[in-house]
Amino acid sequence: MQIGVNVPNFGPGTDPGVLRQWAQTLEGLGFDLLMVSDHVAVTPDVAEQYPAPFYEPFTTLAWLAGITSRVRLGTTVLIVPYRHPLLVARMAANLNQLSGGRLVLGVGVGWARQEFAALGVPFAQRGRLTDEHLQAIRAAWADDGDYQAGDIPIWVGGNSDAGQRRAVRLGDAWHPLRFTLDWYSGALDRLTEAADAQGRPVPALAPRIILRITDAPLPEPGRLAGEGSLDQVLDDIETLRRLGADTVVLDPFGGDPAETRHPQVAWQALAAIAANRGRNAGPGTRTERP
């Protein structure tokens, strides 16, 4: 199983130098994947959680590709309705080429109503638009050799039943975000049911969990996967591996934009994970889903 990290590409403490440090730190610690988020217009509903500066993901990853050599690069998640699908197909294909085949395209439908309005995209149609755009992206990659997309995996985000159905129909992996392990276990059953209903295979599993290490263990009822003592977090990662996850993405951003001024806190937590990740499964180890 591979382990990735969601890097804050926004907030008052983020600038090109900090992003460079993030990339060098993750690659130096041996993590497998570096991912960033997506917003285009930092409208008030976006700014409340993810304030400016907000670095556009394709631009950011293209730059980070040039200062890294091994770590994979991805989006968690690209809001599909915000851009014309042929533009996404082109940018993703070019970034994959320029990075030496390291791109993972995580996608989602979006949530920020004001941002949709600012971009002139109908919020109520975001699910349908996402489906249509993903189909167009795949068609461009398949039919036009000029794109030369290579093998770009599409991870479909979304914890809802609709997100699961979309992952089965249009994705290479299902990419749920922040959950309890009890919820996740039940969600896997629903994912299998969705795949059976469509007569398609169950997609790969690539969950994203919070990373918040506490001094003492947290009580289990309601505890999010990835928060608690170091032992609890490591056990969560191992549980996800046993449940068939091909990749687990750690998200060290707790929700307060001021955190971006002190990335060292996140780096220390990630260093602890990196130092202990071989306790159960070694770096880069892949396991088959049961």
Side-chain angles (χ1 to χ4, degrees), residues 34-262:
L34 181 162
M35 306 192 88
V36 296
S37 303
D38 179 33
H39 283 288
V40 175
V42 185
T43 48
D45 50 353
V46 174
E48 185 176 351
Q49 299 184 53
Y50 311 108
F54 201 109
Y55 291 85
E56 194 278 331
F58 281 116
T59 309
T60 302
L61 293 175
W63 179 62
L64 293 179
I67 59 177
T68 57
S69 60
R70 180 195 57 79
V71 69
R72 299 170 75 199
L73 306 162
T75 54
T76 179
V77 288
L78 190 83
I79 309 303
V80 175
Y82 285 174
R83 301 168 179 84
H84 193 285
L86 294 183
L87 176 62
V88 174
R90 171 71 66 188
M91 290 192 295
N94 288 169
L95 177 52
N96 195 51
Q97 287 178 291
L98 293 169
S99 67
R102 289 188 279 154
L103 180 64
V104 174
L105 189 65
V107 299
V109 300
W111 57 268
R113 287 179 177 270
Q114 293 174 347
E115 187 175 23
F116 272 85
L119 296 170
V121 180
F123 182 82
Q125 298 179 34
R126 66 195 188 283
R128 177 183 62 80
L129 290 171
T130 296
D131 291 349
E132 293 175 355
H133 284 24
L134 288 176
Q135 291 168 342
I137 290 166
R138 286 198 177 278
W141 289 346
D143 298 338
D144 187 351
D146 181 51
Y147 280 85
Q148 298 181 341
D151 185 14
I152 303 174
I154 294 179
W155 294 2
V156 176
N159 293 17
S160 66
D161 291 345
Q164 288 189 326
R165 292 192 296 269
R166 183 173 294 111
V168 169
R169 188 171 64 255
L170 297 169
D172 299 297
W174 179 45
H175 184 49
L177 314 178
R178 297 198 178 197
F179 47 78
T180 66
L181 287 177
D182 285 344
W183 177 89
Y184 184 73
S185 180
L188 293 184
D189 293 336
R190 294 191 295 276
L191 184 68
T192 300
E193 292 171 1
D196 290 344
Q198 297 185 45
R200 299 181 63 87
V202 176
L205 304 174
R208 190 182 96 193
I209 64 174
I210 192 172
L211 176 61
R212 185 172 76 89
I213 298 177
T214 58
D215 293 333
L218 296 182
E220 288 302 326
R223 182 180 67 85
L224 290 174
E227 69 173 354
S229 67
L230 178 60
D231 283 342
Q232 283 180 309
V233 174
L234 292 170
D235 287 345
D236 290 345
I237 295 172
E238 171 62 8
T239 297
L240 292 169
R241 184 190 70 83
R242 291 180 182 276
L243 289 172
D246 294 333
T247 305
V248 172
V249 178
L250 306 177
D251 186 356
F253 179 64
D256 182 357
E259 296 173 31
T260 62
R261 299 185 186 276
H262 308 285

